[in-house]
Amino acid sequence: MRSPIVPIIGFLTGIIILAGYFVPSPVLEAIRTPMLDWAVILSGVAGLIAIFHLVFGVHGRRLRDPEKSHVFSFIVILVFMLTVAAGIFFGINHTGFQKVVTAIQMPMETSLMAVLAVTLAYSSLRLLQRQRNWMGFVFFIAVVLYLLVNSGIFALVTDITALRGLVAGISQAPLAGARGILIGVALGSLLTGIRILIGSDRPYNS
Amino acid sequence: MNSLEMNIGLILLIIITFTLFFFSIRQRRTGKAPSFRRITAISNFKRSIGMSIEDGTRIHVSLGNASLTQAVSASAFASLKILRKIGELSSNSDNPPVASSGDGALALLSQDTLHDVARETHTLELFQSENGHLAGPTPVTNVVGALQTIADPEVHTNVLIGNYGSEVGFLSTASQDKGALTIAASDSLTAQATFFATVEQTLIGEELFAVPAYLHNEPMQNASLRIQDMLRGLVVLVLLVGVILKLVYAL
Amino acid sequence: MTLDANLIWTIVSLVLTLFIFSYLFGDNILFRIACAILVGCTAGYLFVLIIYRVILPKLVVPLIEGSLIVLVPLFLSGLLLTKLSPKLSRLGNISMAYLVGAGAAIAVGGALLGTLFTQITGAVNSFAINDGTTKGINGVIVLESAFFLIGTISTLVYFNFTARSKDGQPAKRSPIVNLFAWIGQFFIAITLGAIFAGVLTSTITALIERIDFIITTISGFFG
Amino acid sequence: MAEINCPICNRLNKDEAERCWYCQAVLHPEKKNADGSSDWLDGFRQENTETPFEESNEASAGSDESPEDVPDWLARIRQREQLEHGGEPEQNPDGEKDTLDWLRSAVGNESPTESNTFKPAEVNEPAPTESDNDADWLGKLQSWQEESSEPNKSPAPEHPFEQEPKPSFSGPSNQEPDWLNEFKSEAAQSEPLPPEKQPDDSSTGDKPSPENISAFEQEPKAPIAEEPIIEDSIPPTDAIGFSIPEGNVVKPSSPEPDWLTDFQSLDETKDLADQVMPKPAVEEPVKAPFSGRDIMDWIDKDRSTPEEKPENAVEQVEVPQGTDEGIEPAKLPSWLQALRPDKSKRGIAGSTTSSDLNQKSPLAGIEGVLQDSVIGQFYTRPQTYANTLKITPEQENHLQRLQNIAGEARWEAQESVESKRQSSILLKAVVSLLLIGVIVFTVLTQKNSLVEPTMYSQPVVETFNIISALDPAKPVLIAAEFDSGLYGELKWSSESLLQQLMARNIPIAYLSTTQAGSTLFQATITDLARKNQDYSLADHTLNLGYLTGGTVGLQALANDPRGTLPLTTLMKPAWTDTPLQNTEKISDFSAVIVITENADTARYWIEQVKPSMGKTPLLVVISAQSAPMLQPYYDSGQVNGYIAGESGGTAFEKMAGVEGSSTSHFSAYQSTLILLVVLIFVGGMISLVLSTPSPERSDKNQS
């Protein structure tokens, strides 16, 4: 039999924090602010547990699994332990420890985005193969047009006021669709959140 | 937010909640489910899961980077609901799905979901906590960790559902290049644009939130989708009335 | 360039950058080593960051200072730690329920007040009949505003899910909804096209920045 | 006196005898009776003359009798005589023969010593010469006959098989034996032979006319190996309905029939099994009607011609002649083989009634020779198994749907995926070489951009104006909300803005809700401060560090900044003896600048913090990928101004009159984008021309 305590806790937490949005009451605010803080703490602790599970659970098990490749997992565990040791030994604000971000993480993540540029450029060549319908064709034209707008090449025609207005209008055109999509996504989020608050959907294990 | 917006919001919330209960109880009683338009990507989504189970291959579900303490957490809840359905559908396969995510709490919730499904479908012996794991703590490292899972020869279907940035282009192109079946949906516009350009079966906009209703076909999910459409009509009405009032006021 | 710490870190950055660039020629061992290093160091850095920025200031320091209220998050965090062992993980469900409840409330509040109301008021406000400086009706501005309004409404209607199905026929939407949906798909395609062009632009800029870094560093070596 | 062998039972008879003494078969079939009497014996006679070539050889071979050539029946008779006169049958030397002698003694069979056939008893009597042998044995035979014809008088047989009534042959032909009369009466009542048995010149009528009978006697020219006759009877089947090959049928355990005793000696040189039981042509094994392979075939078959095979097509069920595992095949004489109906007619049910007939009829002991009189009662048309399934229209639809699903599924064969991967790696290498080549060329040659940006977008202008009008005494709050991925672009875009702030000595406090944001921002302003020595970082900047909790953290910051971030990253109090000492609320900052590549992050600041900012402007430096999504917020006034990507940064630098990183890399940026446009356009046109439209994608989202 599923215990009712867990859904009740979820429901009460949600109602109190949600009420804070609509009922500006000091008493409610006094209760809500620490509860939000606790949520932040729990989110951080969950991050610690997930990282521990990633390094020693997932990659630790792959090291013990003869079929899987060991190189990737061994490096992950080794670098993780070196980084944590350096962080605890030097402290988080030590310039040496900051190099972990500025000299290792940032160069590699930026390089990945650079490689993504080539990957997406190559993928764009087959755009009309993948989406062969009206929507795909308009998408193709829009990509080409806005790349030209971003490249600033239309500066050539800025002398002609009419064209200047057209280019301005073209820059504005995505606004209409973006608004419609954002409103739609907000409606979906609203209903999904309500289903969780009333206990219909339970992503947690009750 | 001014008090008017707060009051309207509160009233709207109460009305929506009661309407949800009303529609779901009515469907439970009459047994008549509402009908929704056909979405090709979702139909192919169901078929690809079936084919994956038949082939005995594994399904990889990437849940995105949404943190529970951010407003995009709704996409995380929707992707967890979809993961539950995929787990139920592939319970008679001997390869349970693998879920990777870019947020710690989301990783723990994906473990709970897979464990709950294994318990309900009596396949606890196949459950491994590693099947629900954190691929990397940041969006880009999440992509890098998920690339290793996509490269796994057992994986033949990749479901990319959740909140991403443009770095998700790595996952969709890697999956397409491998010839795996790829289904993608996101609430983030950047990710939707990237999916539209790189994946054939992509869901746009709020179709991400409709997938649970199309898959589960539960009374509450169907009621939720119907109310979503009613609110859409209300928004269009408000826009038109607002513009008309503005025109009248301006003239 | 003297062999100091900066130089070493620059060489490390250059080598890792080239490892990642090797992915252009297909998945290979160098790329995988670089990815492993990235995952390991990012996880380690965030592990330390959470300890210094969350656990110490919000749990340990108040506990040392004798605050009683901090016992609640301490207890919930302790329950959450049971998730590390498969047998005890059930105890952690209470903390997960608390997190999910808070997350759902934030999602509902953010969606309703943060996006819905702001976007609706924004759409109405952006409908103008003149540029605000002159009186009367400016046809171009009215047309432009109507264009945006129709775009927003048709995009919304495109996602409409409910349809009517007659005996055995596939479910179909009403003609007026279909018309707006057909118009809406063009606006959606334009928006997604513009955003994808932006994605390409950003990633091209990142490519230029990385190549500039490689050229600068190599030319720096040969001074 | 010449003797001839009876064609049916292979026994020696006098040449002038019309019918065989033992089995009344016609010894001289060709010498038909002149008056055409319809005596049924003529048939036997006629049969005798037409015996196959081998048999005539045997007959001639039997004339110079050696013990092996003494006919079985004669040997038996002699042996019985000896028994009656107290003689002992001779023991055979080798063991194997002993075990079969009792049979030979019972059946008096003289077939050669083939291991799997019954061997005649070795009679140790001196081989009589032909001439006196014939006279004696006939005389004795006749005397023996009279004795055995009185059933009751026959002494209790010593040997188990002796109790069998011996055919009583009454001397010359005019005294017809009883069994013959009965047979005649029997034959008169029996129904006409089943149509398949009708010889071509079949005569009607129920009386078995000579022709009919001749059909029995007609010795086929060659051993029976003709076309298998479609059985009338229900073939013996195993549990799941497959007809069992003849050989596997477990014969009823009736005693060994007499007909085995009348085997004439066969040609020893050849394989006797073949002569007696010629192997049928290799038949196709009886296929289970629903074997797996067949099921798949009918699906693959082109449904356009389902009528190819009529539904009730009768599959020629071949009943292979197999041999029982345990019981050796009975060795039938060729004449009997011709007589016997098709083996498969003898159903188990049929055999019991036919054995009663055999007891009384002349063919006593010959099982399965005669057709039961009530054949129709026991045999029904065999159940035919058509190898095509009856397909209803509904199943046809399901099949069509299955075909479509299978057709539409795009499981790419591994080889095509491999070749596709090779070509994609090659094409990707070409694209990357082109892009990297253009970038390297423009960066190295420092060429000017093709088109200088002269058109500054309104948001950039607004941002420039706001920055220029900031009060130097009030600090600015900067949210470094970016991940490392697009840090390069954001660093270039925000560089000139930060330089403007430093140039006007405006204090900066910065924080981040992402893990690496504040660290990277600190590195950026450290680099910039090197170019502007007057601006001391220690006095003018404050790192508030990492704000946890995302949206929740922003709400807390908006409500109570001091309580949310009390300490700096150096663990010192942030709000006392620092540029922030006069700042209580968010609205006390001169501006809030959000630097991010994620539109959602910008939205959180707009939704959670902007409402608490009062008149303080909110500026955003955003990457090009998120600019379109920020537009609605700028239009609605929630965002006062923004700089989008490289082009925004270049425009800002142009307005500020400085040459920053954006301007120096703008030509590489512009030429690369133009090359990309060309590549995508050409690729799109090629795709349009080459690839065929796929039906599914044409109804992308059916309404």
Side-chain angles (χ1 to χ4, degrees), chain D residues 300-364:
Chain D
D300 298 339
K301 236 181 242 156
D302 175 8
R303 287 168 323 292
S304 56
T305 55
E307 301 80 24
E308 253 173 30
K309 199 145 203 199
E311 278 171 15
N312 49 13
V314 174
E315 167 95 8
Q316 284 294 336
V317 178
E318 296 303 324
V319 181
Q321 301 284 343
T323 53
D324 287 359
E325 283 77 12
I327 298 172
E328 284 135 14
K331 197 158 72 59
L332 301 180
S334 52
W335 65 266
L336 182 59
Q337 189 64 30
L339 270 178
R340 292 186 63 239
D342 194 334
K343 285 202 172 155
S344 49
K345 285 199 183 216
R346 288 180 300 133
I348 294 171
S351 62
T352 47
T353 45
S354 62
S355 63
D356 302 341
L357 282 175
N358 287 354
Q359 297 306 330
K360 293 193 248 21
S361 72
L363 296 172

Side-chain angles (χ1 to χ4, degrees), chain D residues 243-312:
Chain D
S243 58
I244 301 175
E246 177 56 36
N248 291 359
V249 174
V250 179
K251 290 198 173 61
S253 56
S254 63
E256 201 56 50
D258 288 346
W259 53 267
L260 279 178
T261 59
D262 303 339
F263 264 68
Q264 289 293 337
S265 61
L266 298 167
D267 181 355
E268 293 161 20
T269 54
K270 289 187 184 131
D271 180 4
L272 292 174
D274 285 352
Q275 294 177 49
V276 170
M277 299 275 291
K279 283 199 178 52
V282 175
E283 309 298 338
E284 196 178 316
V286 176
K287 272 192 289 185
F290 296 103
S291 67
R293 185 63 232 156
D294 291 1
I295 288 184
M296 292 311 293
D297 291 347
W298 69 268
I299 285 183
D300 298 339
K301 236 181 242 156
D302 175 8
R303 287 168 323 292
S304 56
T305 55
E307 301 80 24
E308 253 173 30
K309 199 145 203 199
E311 278 171 15
N312 49 13

Side-chain angles (χ1 to χ4, degrees), chain B residues 27-28 49 63 71 75 77 100 122 135 147 179 186 204:
Chain B
Q27 180 181 337
R28 243 182 267 273
I49 291 173
L63 301 172
S75 65
F77 297 137
S100 67
H122 309 296
L147 272 180
S186 178
I204 309 168

